[in-house]
Amino acid sequence: MERWVDHGMGNSIHEIAQRCDGYQSDHVLMFSLVMNPNLIPHDDREQFVRRLTENTVEDFFDARGIDTGVEYSFVTHHRETDGEEQPGQHNPHTHVVLPGTYYDADE
């Protein structure tokens, strides 16, 4: 079962889809990114990828002067690598969903 970390967009696919629909711009329903660090020691990977995700999203908006607390959600997936060089390696990564636009009372 996927467990979404809710930063305002919702904690299920249904809730996130509804929020994306409500916030979409004329041309963009949502933005998505994947955070996938591979060179972190095994025991630290899950916590690292979660912190990396939250810090990256928050820093992205801070760098653009957007301090409205833009809503987003993400889910952490655990899978094993399937590449020929290192098959079967633990590979946690996150999928982040951001709205196509955001609400700003001043604008």
Side-chain angles (χ1 to χ4, degrees):
M1 181 176 191
E2 294 180 339
R3 301 201 187 276
W4 287 86
V5 177
D6 182 12
H7 285 268
M9 287 293 288
N11 60 14
S12 70
I13 295 290
H14 180 73
E15 288 178 6
I16 294 167
Q18 284 183 319
R19 297 293 284 187
C20 285
D21 188 52
Y23 279 126
Q24 71 180 325
S25 67
D26 290 340
H27 305 286
V28 180
L29 175 64
M30 62 171 249
F31 294 99
S32 66
L33 4 138
V34 175
M35 302 286 177
N36 189 358
N38 288 320
L39 302 174
I40 306 304
H42 184 276
D43 292 342
D44 299 328
R45 286 181 191 154
E46 182 173 359
Q47 184 63 28
F48 179 85
V49 76
R50 291 174 64 94
R51 275 186 282 150
L52 174 68
T53 299
E54 291 172 340
N55 290 340
T56 299
V57 171
E58 291 166 13
D59 288 351
F60 175 83
F61 290 110
D62 286 346
R64 284 151 183 79
I66 301 170
D67 58 359
T68 60
V70 175
E71 301 164 349
Y72 68 98
S73 292
F74 70 90
V75 64
T76 304
H77 282 164
H78 293 271
R79 72 174 189 91
E80 294 183 353
T81 58
D82 55 7
E84 290 181 20
E85 292 181 21
Q86 291 185 321
Q89 300 294 310
H90 181 232
N91 185 22
H93 59 281
T94 57
H95 294 263
V96 183
V97 176
L98 299 148
T101 189
Y102 68 96
Y103 176 76
D104 186 334
D106 295 334
E107 295 184 22

mmCIF file of all heavy atoms in Angstrom, residues 70-99:
data_model
loop_
_atom_site.group_PDB
_atom_site.id
_atom_site.type_symbol
_atom_site.label_atom_id
_atom_site.label_comp_id
_atom_site.label_asym_id
_atom_site.label_seq_id
_atom_site.Cartn_x
_atom_site.Cartn_y
_atom_site.Cartn_z
ATOM 1 N N VAL A 70 3.501 26.306 -0.636
ATOM 2 C CA VAL A 70 2.918 25.575 -1.756
ATOM 3 C C VAL A 70 2.674 24.123 -1.350
ATOM 4 O O VAL A 70 3.529 23.480 -0.765
ATOM 5 C CB VAL A 70 3.832 25.651 -3.001
ATOM 6 C CG1 VAL A 70 3.288 24.787 -4.118
ATOM 7 C CG2 VAL A 70 3.967 27.088 -3.457
ATOM 8 N N GLU A 71 1.519 23.643 -1.679
ATOM 9 C CA GLU A 71 1.125 22.284 -1.305
ATOM 10 C C GLU A 71 1.745 21.257 -2.228
ATOM 11 O O GLU A 71 1.894 21.500 -3.422
ATOM 12 C CB GLU A 71 -0.400 22.178 -1.344
ATOM 13 C CG GLU A 71 -1.070 23.152 -0.404
ATOM 14 C CD GLU A 71 -2.538 23.345 -0.698
ATOM 15 O OE1 GLU A 71 -3.021 22.882 -1.751
ATOM 16 O OE2 GLU A 71 -3.201 23.982 0.125
ATOM 17 N N TYR A 72 2.112 20.109 -1.669
ATOM 18 C CA TYR A 72 2.620 18.991 -2.450
ATOM 19 C C TYR A 72 2.477 17.725 -1.641
ATOM 20 O O TYR A 72 2.227 17.763 -0.432
ATOM 21 C CB TYR A 72 4.083 19.211 -2.869
ATOM 22 C CG TYR A 72 5.089 19.184 -1.741
ATOM 23 C CD1 TYR A 72 5.810 18.025 -1.463
ATOM 24 C CD2 TYR A 72 5.330 20.306 -0.959
ATOM 25 C CE1 TYR A 72 6.740 17.993 -0.429
ATOM 26 C CE2 TYR A 72 6.255 20.280 0.056
ATOM 27 C CZ TYR A 72 6.963 19.123 0.322
ATOM 28 O OH TYR A 72 7.884 19.091 1.337
ATOM 29 N N SER A 73 2.601 16.607 -2.287
ATOM 30 C CA SER A 73 2.614 15.309 -1.625
ATOM 31 C C SER A 73 3.652 14.449 -2.301
ATOM 32 O O SER A 73 4.014 14.677 -3.460
ATOM 33 C CB SER A 73 1.244 14.616 -1.714
ATOM 34 O OG SER A 73 0.276 15.308 -0.952
ATOM 35 N N PHE A 74 4.146 13.444 -1.572
ATOM 36 C CA PHE A 74 5.071 12.495 -2.186
ATOM 37 C C PHE A 74 4.906 11.118 -1.565
ATOM 38 O O PHE A 74 4.389 10.970 -0.463
ATOM 39 C CB PHE A 74 6.530 12.975 -2.095
ATOM 40 C CG PHE A 74 7.138 12.959 -0.719
ATOM 41 C CD1 PHE A 74 7.801 11.834 -0.248
ATOM 42 C CD2 PHE A 74 7.089 14.082 0.085
ATOM 43 C CE1 PHE A 74 8.390 11.829 1.008
ATOM 44 C CE2 PHE A 74 7.671 14.093 1.338
ATOM 45 C CZ PHE A 74 8.326 12.954 1.803
ATOM 46 N N VAL A 75 5.310 10.125 -2.323
ATOM 47 C CA VAL A 75 5.271 8.744 -1.852
ATOM 48 C C VAL A 75 6.665 8.164 -2.034
ATOM 49 O O VAL A 75 7.360 8.483 -3.001
ATOM 50 C CB VAL A 75 4.216 7.913 -2.625
ATOM 51 C CG1 VAL A 75 4.550 7.784 -4.092
ATOM 52 C CG2 VAL A 75 4.007 6.551 -1.981
ATOM 53 N N THR A 76 7.086 7.340 -1.073
ATOM 54 C CA THR A 76 8.376 6.669 -1.163
ATOM 55 C C THR A 76 8.154 5.262 -1.685
ATOM 56 O O THR A 76 7.351 4.519 -1.129
ATOM 57 C CB THR A 76 9.073 6.608 0.215
ATOM 58 O OG1 THR A 76 9.195 7.941 0.723
ATOM 59 C CG2 THR A 76 10.439 5.965 0.108
ATOM 60 N N HIS A 77 8.827 4.915 -2.755
ATOM 61 C CA HIS A 77 8.783 3.564 -3.312
ATOM 62 C C HIS A 77 10.065 2.837 -2.957
ATOM 63 O O HIS A 77 11.142 3.420 -2.976
ATOM 64 C CB HIS A 77 8.648 3.593 -4.833
ATOM 65 C CG HIS A 77 7.273 3.885 -5.294
ATOM 66 N ND1 HIS A 77 7.001 4.265 -6.583
ATOM 67 C CD2 HIS A 77 6.084 3.858 -4.661
ATOM 68 C CE1 HIS A 77 5.709 4.455 -6.717
ATOM 69 N NE2 HIS A 77 5.129 4.226 -5.560
ATOM 70 N N HIS A 78 9.934 1.572 -2.662
ATOM 71 C CA HIS A 78 11.085 0.711 -2.424
ATOM 72 C C HIS A 78 11.113 -0.323 -3.535
ATOM 73 O O HIS A 78 10.121 -1.007 -3.768
ATOM 74 C CB HIS A 78 10.963 0.004 -1.068
ATOM 75 C CG HIS A 78 11.042 0.948 0.077
ATOM 76 N ND1 HIS A 78 12.217 1.303 0.662
ATOM 77 C CD2 HIS A 78 10.078 1.647 0.727
ATOM 78 C CE1 HIS A 78 11.996 2.160 1.636
ATOM 79 N NE2 HIS A 78 10.709 2.393 1.692
ATOM 80 N N ARG A 79 12.212 -0.387 -4.221
ATOM 81 C CA ARG A 79 12.369 -1.399 -5.255
ATOM 82 C C ARG A 79 13.833 -1.779 -5.325
ATOM 83 O O ARG A 79 14.675 -1.133 -4.712
ATOM 84 C CB ARG A 79 11.861 -0.918 -6.605
ATOM 85 C CG ARG A 79 12.715 0.132 -7.281
ATOM 86 C CD ARG A 79 12.203 0.440 -8.690
ATOM 87 N NE ARG A 79 13.116 1.280 -9.408
ATOM 88 C CZ ARG A 79 14.114 0.841 -10.188
ATOM 89 N NH1 ARG A 79 14.303 -0.441 -10.335
ATOM 90 N NH2 ARG A 79 14.906 1.672 -10.804
ATOM 91 N N GLU A 80 14.111 -2.806 -6.068
ATOM 92 C CA GLU A 80 15.489 -3.216 -6.292
ATOM 93 C C GLU A 80 15.898 -2.832 -7.704
ATOM 94 O O GLU A 80 15.080 -2.872 -8.625
ATOM 95 C CB GLU A 80 15.634 -4.724 -6.084
ATOM 96 C CG GLU A 80 15.406 -5.139 -4.648
ATOM 97 C CD GLU A 80 15.619 -6.626 -4.436
ATOM 98 O OE1 GLU A 80 15.818 -7.373 -5.420
ATOM 99 O OE2 GLU A 80 15.579 -7.044 -3.276
ATOM 100 N N THR A 81 17.166 -2.465 -7.864
ATOM 101 C CA THR A 81 17.658 -2.104 -9.186
ATOM 102 C C THR A 81 17.630 -3.327 -10.093
ATOM 103 O O THR A 81 17.747 -4.462 -9.639
ATOM 104 C CB THR A 81 19.092 -1.554 -9.116
ATOM 105 O OG1 THR A 81 19.928 -2.539 -8.525
ATOM 106 C CG2 THR A 81 19.150 -0.276 -8.307
ATOM 107 N N ASP A 82 17.476 -3.079 -11.389
ATOM 108 C CA ASP A 82 17.451 -4.189 -12.343
ATOM 109 C C ASP A 82 18.514 -4.030 -13.428
ATOM 110 O O ASP A 82 18.505 -4.742 -14.414
ATOM 111 C CB ASP A 82 16.060 -4.340 -12.972
ATOM 112 C CG ASP A 82 15.562 -3.051 -13.623
ATOM 113 O OD1 ASP A 82 16.331 -2.075 -13.705
ATOM 114 O OD2 ASP A 82 14.396 -3.036 -14.039
ATOM 115 N N GLY A 83 19.449 -3.106 -13.228
ATOM 116 C CA GLY A 83 20.522 -2.909 -14.202
ATOM 117 C C GLY A 83 21.505 -4.068 -14.196
ATOM 118 O O GLY A 83 21.634 -4.805 -13.221
ATOM 119 N N GLU A 84 22.205 -4.240 -15.283
ATOM 120 C CA GLU A 84 23.162 -5.342 -15.408
ATOM 121 C C GLU A 84 24.361 -5.170 -14.479
ATOM 122 O O GLU A 84 24.920 -6.159 -14.009
ATOM 123 C CB GLU A 84 23.636 -5.454 -16.857
ATOM 124 C CG GLU A 84 22.555 -5.943 -17.794
ATOM 125 C CD GLU A 84 23.054 -6.068 -19.226
ATOM 126 O OE1 GLU A 84 24.282 -6.141 -19.426
ATOM 127 O OE2 GLU A 84 22.209 -6.095 -20.129
ATOM 128 N N GLU A 85 24.780 -3.928 -14.212
ATOM 129 C CA GLU A 85 25.967 -3.700 -13.407
ATOM 130 C C GLU A 85 25.760 -4.035 -11.934
ATOM 131 O O GLU A 85 26.648 -4.594 -11.297
ATOM 132 C CB GLU A 85 26.439 -2.256 -13.543
ATOM 133 C CG GLU A 85 26.977 -1.937 -14.924
ATOM 134 C CD GLU A 85 27.452 -0.496 -15.015
ATOM 135 O OE1 GLU A 85 27.743 0.119 -13.975
ATOM 136 O OE2 GLU A 85 27.511 0.006 -16.138
ATOM 137 N N GLN A 86 24.618 -3.667 -11.363
ATOM 138 C CA GLN A 86 24.346 -3.917 -9.949
ATOM 139 C C GLN A 86 22.885 -4.300 -9.747
ATOM 140 O O GLN A 86 22.127 -3.557 -9.125
ATOM 141 C CB GLN A 86 24.684 -2.698 -9.105
ATOM 142 C CG GLN A 86 26.161 -2.399 -9.023
ATOM 143 C CD GLN A 86 26.438 -1.246 -8.074
ATOM 144 O OE1 GLN A 86 25.703 -0.276 -8.034
ATOM 145 N NE2 GLN A 86 27.505 -1.382 -7.308
ATOM 146 N N PRO A 87 22.474 -5.453 -10.220
ATOM 147 C CA PRO A 87 21.076 -5.847 -10.031
ATOM 148 C C PRO A 87 20.783 -6.169 -8.569
ATOM 149 O O PRO A 87 21.661 -6.569 -7.815
ATOM 150 C CB PRO A 87 20.956 -7.095 -10.909
ATOM 151 C CG PRO A 87 22.337 -7.648 -10.961
ATOM 152 C CD PRO A 87 23.253 -6.461 -10.918
ATOM 153 N N GLY A 88 19.544 -5.938 -8.180
ATOM 154 C CA GLY A 88 19.091 -6.324 -6.845
ATOM 155 C C GLY A 88 19.499 -5.394 -5.718
ATOM 156 O O GLY A 88 19.353 -5.746 -4.553
ATOM 157 N N GLN A 89 19.969 -4.183 -6.022
ATOM 158 C CA GLN A 89 20.347 -3.231 -4.973
ATOM 159 C C GLN A 89 19.109 -2.481 -4.488
ATOM 160 O O GLN A 89 18.235 -2.119 -5.263
ATOM 161 C CB GLN A 89 21.369 -2.222 -5.509
ATOM 162 C CG GLN A 89 22.651 -2.842 -5.998
ATOM 163 C CD GLN A 89 23.434 -3.464 -4.871
ATOM 164 O OE1 GLN A 89 23.657 -2.819 -3.840
ATOM 165 N NE2 GLN A 89 23.855 -4.694 -5.050
ATOM 166 N N HIS A 90 19.043 -2.247 -3.177
ATOM 167 C CA HIS A 90 17.936 -1.492 -2.582
ATOM 168 C C HIS A 90 17.927 -0.087 -3.180
ATOM 169 O O HIS A 90 18.962 0.576 -3.215
ATOM 170 C CB HIS A 90 18.129 -1.435 -1.065
ATOM 171 C CG HIS A 90 17.047 -0.708 -0.356
ATOM 172 N ND1 HIS A 90 17.304 0.308 0.520
ATOM 173 C CD2 HIS A 90 15.700 -0.842 -0.387
ATOM 174 C CE1 HIS A 90 16.170 0.770 1.008
ATOM 175 N NE2 HIS A 90 15.182 0.094 0.472
ATOM 176 N N ASN A 91 16.776 0.372 -3.655
ATOM 177 C CA ASN A 91 16.695 1.632 -4.376
ATOM 178 C C ASN A 91 15.444 2.421 -3.983
ATOM 179 O O ASN A 91 14.502 2.549 -4.762
ATOM 180 C CB ASN A 91 16.709 1.345 -5.883
ATOM 181 C CG ASN A 91 16.749 2.609 -6.715
ATOM 182 O OD1 ASN A 91 17.164 3.646 -6.250
ATOM 183 N ND2 ASN A 91 16.316 2.497 -7.950
ATOM 184 N N PRO A 92 15.402 2.977 -2.742
ATOM 185 C CA PRO A 92 14.237 3.788 -2.389
ATOM 186 C C PRO A 92 14.283 5.114 -3.142
ATOM 187 O O PRO A 92 15.353 5.682 -3.357
ATOM 188 C CB PRO A 92 14.411 4.006 -0.883
ATOM 189 C CG PRO A 92 15.874 3.918 -0.654
ATOM 190 C CD PRO A 92 16.389 2.928 -1.674
ATOM 191 N N HIS A 93 13.121 5.574 -3.555
ATOM 192 C CA HIS A 93 13.018 6.849 -4.262
ATOM 193 C C HIS A 93 11.632 7.422 -4.018
ATOM 194 O O HIS A 93 10.722 6.696 -3.617
ATOM 195 C CB HIS A 93 13.283 6.676 -5.761
ATOM 196 C CG HIS A 93 12.347 5.732 -6.427
ATOM 197 N ND1 HIS A 93 12.481 4.363 -6.346
ATOM 198 C CD2 HIS A 93 11.239 5.965 -7.167
ATOM 199 C CE1 HIS A 93 11.499 3.786 -7.027
ATOM 200 N NE2 HIS A 93 10.737 4.735 -7.523
ATOM 201 N N THR A 94 11.488 8.715 -4.238
ATOM 202 C CA THR A 94 10.190 9.344 -4.021
ATOM 203 C C THR A 94 9.624 9.875 -5.330
ATOM 204 O O THR A 94 10.358 10.239 -6.240
ATOM 205 C CB THR A 94 10.289 10.520 -3.022
ATOM 206 O OG1 THR A 94 11.235 11.470 -3.505
ATOM 207 C CG2 THR A 94 10.691 10.045 -1.643
ATOM 208 N N HIS A 95 8.307 9.887 -5.381
ATOM 209 C CA HIS A 95 7.559 10.513 -6.476
ATOM 210 C C HIS A 95 6.820 11.694 -5.851
ATOM 211 O O HIS A 95 6.036 11.527 -4.930
ATOM 212 C CB HIS A 95 6.555 9.531 -7.094
ATOM 213 C CG HIS A 95 7.205 8.386 -7.783
ATOM 214 N ND1 HIS A 95 7.417 8.370 -9.141
ATOM 215 C CD2 HIS A 95 7.705 7.227 -7.305
ATOM 216 C CE1 HIS A 95 8.011 7.244 -9.481
ATOM 217 N NE2 HIS A 95 8.205 6.531 -8.379
ATOM 218 N N VAL A 96 7.086 12.885 -6.364
ATOM 219 C CA VAL A 96 6.528 14.122 -5.820
ATOM 220 C C VAL A 96 5.473 14.654 -6.779
ATOM 221 O O VAL A 96 5.681 14.669 -7.993
ATOM 222 C CB VAL A 96 7.630 15.193 -5.637
ATOM 223 C CG1 VAL A 96 7.064 16.449 -4.993
ATOM 224 C CG2 VAL A 96 8.802 14.643 -4.835
ATOM 225 N N VAL A 97 4.345 15.110 -6.234
ATOM 226 C CA VAL A 97 3.285 15.728 -7.032
ATOM 227 C C VAL A 97 3.090 17.151 -6.534
ATOM 228 O O VAL A 97 2.871 17.386 -5.342
ATOM 229 C CB VAL A 97 1.959 14.943 -6.921
ATOM 230 C CG1 VAL A 97 0.847 15.658 -7.679
ATOM 231 C CG2 VAL A 97 2.130 13.526 -7.411
ATOM 232 N N LEU A 98 3.209 18.092 -7.468
ATOM 233 C CA LEU A 98 3.000 19.518 -7.191
ATOM 234 C C LEU A 98 1.840 20.007 -8.052
ATOM 235 O O LEU A 98 1.640 19.515 -9.166
ATOM 236 C CB LEU A 98 4.252 20.313 -7.560
ATOM 237 C CG LEU A 98 5.519 19.946 -6.808
ATOM 238 C CD1 LEU A 98 6.719 20.145 -7.695
ATOM 239 C CD2 LEU A 98 5.623 20.782 -5.576
ATOM 240 N N PRO A 99 1.090 20.991 -7.582
ATOM 241 C CA PRO A 99 -0.014 21.504 -8.391
ATOM 242 C C PRO A 99 0.491 22.245 -9.613
ATOM 243 O O PRO A 99 1.624 22.726 -9.644
ATOM 244 C CB PRO A 99 -0.740 22.458 -7.440
ATOM 245 C CG PRO A 99 0.313 22.906 -6.492
ATOM 246 C CD PRO A 99 1.234 21.732 -6.324
#
